[in-house]
Amino acid sequence: MVTVTEVKTRAQQKAFLEFPLKLYRDNPNFVPPLYGDEKKMFRKDFVYNDTCEHAYWLAERDGKTVGRISAILQRASNEKHGETRVRFTRFDSIDNPEVAKALFDAVENFARARGMNAVCGPLGFSDLEREGLLVEGFDQLSTFEEQYNADYYGRLIEACGYRKEVDWVESKIFAPEKATAEKLHHLSDMLLKKFNLRIGEAKNVNEFLKKYKDGFFDLLDVAYEDLYGTVPFTPGMKKMMIDNFRLIIDLDHVVCLLDEHDTVVCLGLCFPSIAKAVQPSNGRLTPAALVRLLKAIKRPKVIDLGLIAVAPEYQNSGVIAVIAAALSDMLLEDGVEYAETNLNLEDNLAIQNLWKRFHAVQHKRRRSYLKELN
């Protein structure tokens, strides 16, 4: 018999955090989140508490944890989109329909009790979190920014009455041919002159953040306004994002375009991949893990694309080619093998067309599901 219990105690919180670590202990493609960051969900000062109500459950059978799930009532998202939804996230389970149904029943009851009429996901508190269920690419190493899951998850979710709402695709991007790179740089220079734009400069990360952080948050709010799953940035979210940037950002992997008024109108932000650095310690920042992180940041073999945003008035201008030219330089750096795009909505033609300038291999697909409640 399967029993589902809401997470309340510290022991239950620990079991919730560690269940996926145990479930995927022997899977070489699973990449854990930072354990300390995940623990923050249970704190009273958690950054999303001002816009969200959330709950967590564990499924047990014969005294053993066999699954987990979380529900999020993201009020800011519902208000923005005029919806009455609850998100599910952090769903992990053994391959058992009874376990999955019991977990999703808990989420759906949570939603109904609050007058909501639909459940969607996997979606986190915001698009800064891991989102989407892996439905293709189970033999690929996950990025640090996204969650890995076994191939049976989709079957379990669909058996509970969920259907596809949106898909994202992910690709590996390899360095372009020399002639292509030269064309990209020529086009980039031409566009900068045509629109009187310039690349923002800074001596170090702190100066960069001081000069441009307000501008790029304003840009992200406008550029991502209509994208699936996005929510407006709160002061707490901004601080969290900046704190995380300071740890791994490298100015060689950032492109910030400014207009003649010094307004940020285009942004491309990449990170060194830390996936393999956090695997051995299960996401805990041990001394050995810190050494691996520093090495990965200083000499990256893989680059993860974090954010690409273009102001609405420039979205059909072609200035995204400036980002493409900068990315080609990153891919030609010593030791860099390829870049991971992370999630791109499958119907985002602008970003899909950008990757056609490179040798791109689509290797993963993720899905967000929706179930309307009676």
Side-chain angles (χ1 to χ4, degrees):
M1 179 180 176
V2 177
T3 59
V4 172
T5 305
E6 187 172 354
V7 172
K8 295 291 186 182
T9 68
R10 289 193 177 183
Q12 290 170 332
Q13 292 172 3
K14 186 173 185 290
F16 185 92
L17 295 173
E18 295 187 353
F19 176 70
L21 306 181
K22 295 175 181 177
L23 185 65
Y24 292 103
R25 179 178 293 149
D26 299 320
N27 190 307
N29 297 315
F30 173 78
V31 175
L34 291 181
Y35 193 87
D37 284 350
E38 285 290 277
K39 284 178 68 176
K40 293 176 183 177
M41 296 183 299
F42 301 113
R43 287 170 40 170
K44 291 182 179 179
D45 63 348
F46 183 46
V47 68
Y48 291 105
N49 283 348
D50 56 346
T51 59
C52 299
E53 182 181 354
H54 41 106
Y56 310 85
W57 295 271
L58 289 170
E60 294 183 337
R61 188 177 63 183
D62 300 327
K64 182 180 179 181
T65 301
V66 290
R68 70 168 194 168
I69 201 167
S70 174
I72 301 171
L73 174 52
Q74 205 344 326
R75 298 187 189 91
S77 176
N78 281 346
E79 182 179 346
K80 173 183 173 181
H81 298 289
E83 297 169 339
T84 50
R85 293 183 171 190
V86 158
R87 301 176 170 198
F88 77 86
T89 184
R90 293 167 175 82
F91 166 67
D92 289 289
S93 173
I94 62 170
D95 188 1
N96 184 288
E98 183 185 4
V99 172
K101 185 179 185 307
L103 289 167
F104 278 97
D105 281 349
V107 173
E108 291 163 21
N109 289 336
F110 173 93
R112 290 189 183 96
R114 287 152 182 80
M116 301 294 106
N117 64 8
V119 174
C120 62
L123 290 172
F125 292 92
S126 76
D127 54 307
L128 298 180
E129 286 212 312
R130 296 176 168 194
E131 56 189 354
L133 189 86
L134 189 66
V135 294
E136 294 176 8
F138 303 102
D139 60 342
Q140 299 291 317
L141 177 70
S142 183
T143 61
F144 171 74
E145 296 83 6
E146 301 305 335
Q147 181 66 33
Y148 182 86
N149 58 263
D151 59 1
Y152 59 80
Y153 278 36
R155 170 167 44 81
L156 295 179
I157 292 172
E158 290 166 13
C160 292
Y162 290 77
R163 59 173 175 80
K164 169 187 170 179
E165 184 168 35
V166 301
D167 271 12
W168 297 269
V169 293
E170 299 178 56
S171 300
K172 287 182 179 179
I173 306 297
F174 298 88
E177 298 293 329
K178 182 179 179 181
T180 302
E182 290 174 351
K183 288 180 181 178
L184 281 173
H185 280 285
H186 176 73
L187 179 59
S188 173
D189 292 342
M190 185 174 67
L191 289 166
L192 290 174
K193 292 177 183 177
K194 178 179 179 180
F195 294 105
N196 194 22
L197 303 176
R198 64 184 178 85
I199 296 175
E201 297 180 348
K203 296 177 182 177
N204 53 52
V205 171
N206 285 334
E207 182 182 334
F208 177 85
L209 292 173
K210 183 178 180 180
K211 291 171 69 173
Y212 306 124
K213 63 181 175 64
D214 291 337
F216 71 62
F217 279 124
D218 290 342
L219 172 64
L220 292 175
D221 266 338
V222 174
Y224 286 9
E225 183 176 10
D226 296 324
L227 291 185
Y228 182 84
T230 59
V231 299
F233 282 95
T234 64
M237 288 169 62
K238 292 177 182 180
K239 182 180 184 304
M240 177 183 67
M241 196 171 176
I242 292 298
D243 289 345
N244 291 339
F245 280 0
R246 290 185 197 278
L247 297 175
I248 60 174
I249 200 171
D250 182 333
L251 293 186
D252 289 337
H253 298 152
V254 180
V255 182
C256 181
L257 294 190
L258 310 174
D259 66 12
E260 65 271 24
H261 305 296
D262 287 342
T263 301
V264 179
V265 298
C266 186
L267 175 70
L269 184 61
C270 302
F271 306 105
S273 172
I274 61 171
K276 291 186 176 180
V278 301
Q279 278 183 317
S281 63
N282 267 334
R284 292 175 172 85
L285 291 180
T286 63
L290 288 172
V291 171
R292 291 192 299 270
L293 277 171
L294 290 172
K295 183 178 179 181
I297 293 168
K298 189 174 181 180
R299 294 188 293 276
K301 293 184 177 180
V302 178
I303 296 172
D304 292 346
L305 275 65
L307 299 168
I308 295 179
V310 182
E313 61 269 30
Y314 288 95
Q315 285 179 0
N316 296 315
S317 68
V319 297
I320 201 168
V322 180
I323 303 295
L327 179 58
S328 72
D329 289 342
M330 297 177 205
L331 290 169
L332 291 168
E333 288 179 9
D334 241 10
V336 175
E337 299 172 7
Y338 60 88
E340 286 263 9
T341 64
N342 278 312
L343 276 64
N344 301 147
L345 285 164
E346 63 178 346
D347 60 356
N348 187 339
L349 299 182
I351 200 72
Q352 303 299 342
N353 288 333
L354 177 64
W355 306 141
K356 291 179 181 179
R357 300 175 183 270
F358 299 83
H359 173 49
V361 178
Q362 183 186 317
H363 63 312
K364 299 175 195 169
R365 178 179 290 268
R366 296 182 185 274
R367 181 162 297 164
S368 181
Y369 290 89
L370 174 69
K371 181 179 180 179
E372 296 175 355
L373 304 178
N374 298 324

